[in-house]
């Protein structure tokens, strides 16, 4: 017997652990308000839908490297974000950003014995990316380089952060780049929430990018950026995203994707090309999330919940509880304060994500998504305020 299938060593899928809380929230007399996963609920822009329909007659295989149309759109988007100029060979569409996060270290040759660094409070797929490559996952403090092993092969940055919403300054990002180049380490930044800034500072200047000229010294060597249209354009169902950066890294990804058939469907590439630079709908969606965020924050102020003070962008509230928070006895049976808060929300018909999904350093927190309809957000605010 071969013993197949053999386990990959992946962690338990975290969302499966919310089944009991979901059941409790579903039992609320007016139904559940789901603020856990962060799935967009607003309509996909009409311009994007039109582009998809018009490209629906696609009998041939799409180019792995991307169509000329989508490459032109990616370059235009990069200029809007203030990034450096790159060649066509250094920009590609991808099939969603989560899939690229999971497989990127493997595709560029990270192997057993290598170290993959990622923020100690972070989206769990960064950890998964190291496991799939057979490498060692190492959570680190992204603002303390003394916690970064000198022999790291690969570093994940995430700004704005999921789950905290913290934005890494251009100055600190530049220091990270210098650290990596001195050691021959690759840095990849997941910047998929960059068009959702809440701090007036970043609404004016834009969220800093790893590929800003002043950050990378006008040189993409050893660097790459991932970006998704799921949040800015309500295109999560399309699985449309982009990768830009060091041509050598992008070429390695293209080679692996050619052999494995990982090509972005042609109609989706057409939709990406339109959605990436339709700034009217991008600004409208950001304003919509801003209103929902403001309403939830007002409601939270009445509860004893504490919003994370460095949340400056992104799609979530990152909340903890005051020392004298009004938990019920049944809540306190939970293994940590974050899980107790999940139960506290569930009793009010609201489902949120526990902080322990995002690492050992975040067990006292919960993540609350802004991705619900205005009506659902209003219901959540009423329940919290009551």
């Amino acid at each position: 017997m071969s013993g197949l299938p053999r386990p990959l060593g992946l962690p338990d899928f975290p969302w499966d652990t919310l089944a009991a809380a979901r059941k409790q929230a579903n039992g609320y007399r007016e139904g559940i308000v789901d603020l856990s996963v962060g799935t967009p609920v607003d309509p996909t822009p009409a311009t994007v839908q039109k582009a998809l329909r018009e490209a629906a007659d696609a009998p041939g295989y799409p180019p792995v490297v991307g169509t000329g149309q989508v490459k032109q759109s990616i370059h235009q988007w990069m200029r809007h974000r203030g990034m450096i100029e790159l060649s066509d060979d250094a920009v590609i569409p991808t099939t969603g950003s989560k899939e690229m996060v999971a497989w990127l270290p493997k595709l560029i040759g990270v192997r057993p014995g290598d170290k993959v660094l990622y923020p100690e409070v972070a989206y769990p797929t960064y950890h998964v990316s190291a496991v799939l490559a057979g490498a060692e996952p190492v959570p680190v403090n992204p603002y303390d380089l003394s916690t970064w092993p000198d022999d790291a092969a690969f570093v994940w940055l995430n700004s704005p952060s999921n789950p905290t919403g913290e934005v890494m300054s251009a100055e600190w990002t530049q220091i990270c780049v210098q650290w990596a180049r001195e050691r021959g380490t690759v840095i990849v930044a997941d910047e998929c929430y960059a068009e959702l800034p809440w701090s007036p500072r970043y609404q004016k200047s834009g969220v800093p990018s790893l590929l800003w000229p002043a950050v990378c010294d006008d040189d993409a060597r050893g660097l790459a950026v991932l970006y998704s249209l799921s949040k800015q354009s309500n295109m999560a169902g399309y699985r449309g995203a982009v990768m830009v950066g060091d041509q050598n890294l992008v070429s390695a990804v293209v080679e692996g994707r050619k052999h494995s058939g990982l090509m972005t469907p042609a109609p989706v590439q057409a939709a990406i090309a339109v959605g990436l630079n339709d700034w009217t709908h991008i600004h409208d969606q950001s304003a919509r999330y801003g209103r929902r965020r403001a309403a939830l924050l007002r409601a939270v102020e009445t509860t004893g919940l504490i919003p994370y003070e460095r949340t400056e962008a992104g799609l979530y509230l990152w909340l903890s509880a005051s020392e004298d928070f009004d938990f019920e006895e049944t809540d306190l049976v939970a293994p940590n304060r974050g899980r107790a808060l999940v139960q506290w929300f569930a009793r009010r018909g609201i489902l949120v994500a526990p902080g322990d999904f995002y690492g050992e350093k975040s067990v006292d927190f919960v993540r609350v998504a802004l991705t619900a309809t205005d009506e659902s957000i209003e219901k959540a605010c009423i329940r919290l305020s009551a």
Side-chain angles (χ1 to χ4, degrees):
M1 294 291 289
S2 67
L4 298 178
R6 299 188 185 102
L8 293 175
L10 298 173
D12 293 337
F13 190 61
W15 298 100
D16 293 343
T17 69
L18 279 184
R22 180 179 293 278
K23 182 178 179 180
Q24 184 176 12
N26 269 319
Y28 192 79
R29 59 184 179 271
E30 296 172 8
I32 188 174
V33 175
D34 191 343
L35 305 180
S36 60
V37 177
T39 299
V41 299
D42 299 306
T44 303
T47 53
V48 172
Q49 295 186 48
K50 181 174 182 286
L52 187 79
R53 286 193 299 268
E54 291 179 348
D57 184 13
Y61 293 111
V64 174
V65 297
T67 64
Q69 179 194 27
V70 81
K71 285 182 178 290
Q72 182 179 2
S73 182
I74 293 170
H75 289 305
Q76 184 179 346
W77 166 78
M78 291 181 69
R79 285 190 288 271
H80 180 90
R81 289 231 35 224
M83 296 177 172
I84 63 174
E85 291 285 339
L86 296 176
S87 69
D88 272 0
D89 293 336
V91 303
I92 56 170
T94 67
T95 310
S97 61
K98 181 173 183 176
E99 187 171 12
M100 187 54 64
V101 168
W103 290 105
L104 181 54
K106 178 77 171 179
L107 287 171
I108 66 170
V110 171
R111 56 175 64 98
D114 289 338
K115 291 184 175 71
V116 173
L117 313 188
Y118 61 93
E120 59 191 356
V121 177
Y123 184 48
T125 310
Y126 305 131
H127 173 98
V128 168
S129 76
V131 175
L132 288 173
E136 179 185 352
V138 183
V140 297
N141 182 339
Y143 298 98
D144 182 358
L145 296 179
S146 70
T147 68
W148 297 25
D150 281 334
D151 58 347
F154 187 107
V155 177
W156 282 111
L157 298 182
N158 177 213
S159 176
S161 163
N162 174 13
T164 71
E166 190 164 354
V167 172
M168 184 173 283
S169 71
E171 294 77 15
W172 183 254
T173 309
Q174 182 184 27
I175 290 171
C176 295
V177 170
Q178 292 170 346
W179 181 95
R181 285 183 168 160
E182 289 169 1
R183 293 159 178 81
T185 303
V186 166
I187 290 188
V188 179
D190 179 358
E191 300 180 0
C192 72
Y193 299 96
E195 293 302 330
L196 296 171
W198 311 125
S199 164
R201 171 187 177 186
Y202 296 122
Q203 287 176 338
K204 182 178 181 180
S205 67
V207 170
S209 172
L210 182 68
L211 292 179
W212 273 10
V215 170
C216 67
D217 196 24
D218 216 17
D219 178 6
R221 176 175 45 92
L223 309 176
V225 166
L226 303 183
Y227 187 73
S228 167
L229 283 81
S230 294
K231 280 72 180 178
Q232 72 156 47
S233 302
N234 301 317
M235 287 174 60
Y238 286 56
R239 309 314 302 137
V242 301
M243 174 183 176
V244 301
D246 184 335
Q247 182 178 331
N248 292 324
L249 299 178
V250 174
S251 295
V253 169
V254 168
E255 187 69 13
R257 295 177 85 226
K258 282 180 178 177
H259 283 287
S260 52
L262 290 173
M263 53 191 78
T264 306
V268 174
Q269 292 196 41
I272 291 171
V274 170
L276 201 55
N277 290 285
D278 181 354
W279 294 103
T280 298
H281 91 256
I282 293 169
H283 294 150
D284 287 348
Q285 187 61 46
S286 179
R288 191 175 293 122
Y289 282 136
R291 291 191 296 270
R292 292 169 183 166
R293 180 176 184 269
L296 282 169
L297 283 173
R298 287 193 297 270
V300 161
E301 287 176 357
T302 69
T303 63
L305 294 165
I306 304 171
Y308 184 61
E309 63 182 8
R310 292 194 291 276
T311 297
E312 298 176 298
L315 203 54
Y316 311 102
L317 303 185
W318 187 234
L319 306 176
S320 58
S322 61
E323 286 299 320
D324 58 350
F325 189 76
D326 189 20
F327 285 115
E328 289 194 2
E329 289 296 326
T330 53
D331 297 334
L332 296 173
V333 176
N336 55 58
R337 286 175 71 84
R339 290 281 176 168
L341 279 173
V342 169
Q343 293 178 193
W344 183 91
F345 274 93
R347 284 191 284 104
R348 289 155 178 80
I350 304 170
L351 189 66
V352 300
D356 57 23
F357 280 11
Y358 308 97
E360 296 177 357
K361 297 287 187 178
S362 54
V363 296
D364 291 341
F365 290 83
V366 291
R367 195 194 73 171
V368 181
L370 310 179
T371 50
T373 63
D374 291 343
E375 180 184 12
S376 292
I377 293 292
E378 184 179 3
K379 286 181 181 178
C381 291
I382 291 171
R383 297 175 191 184
L384 292 172
S385 298

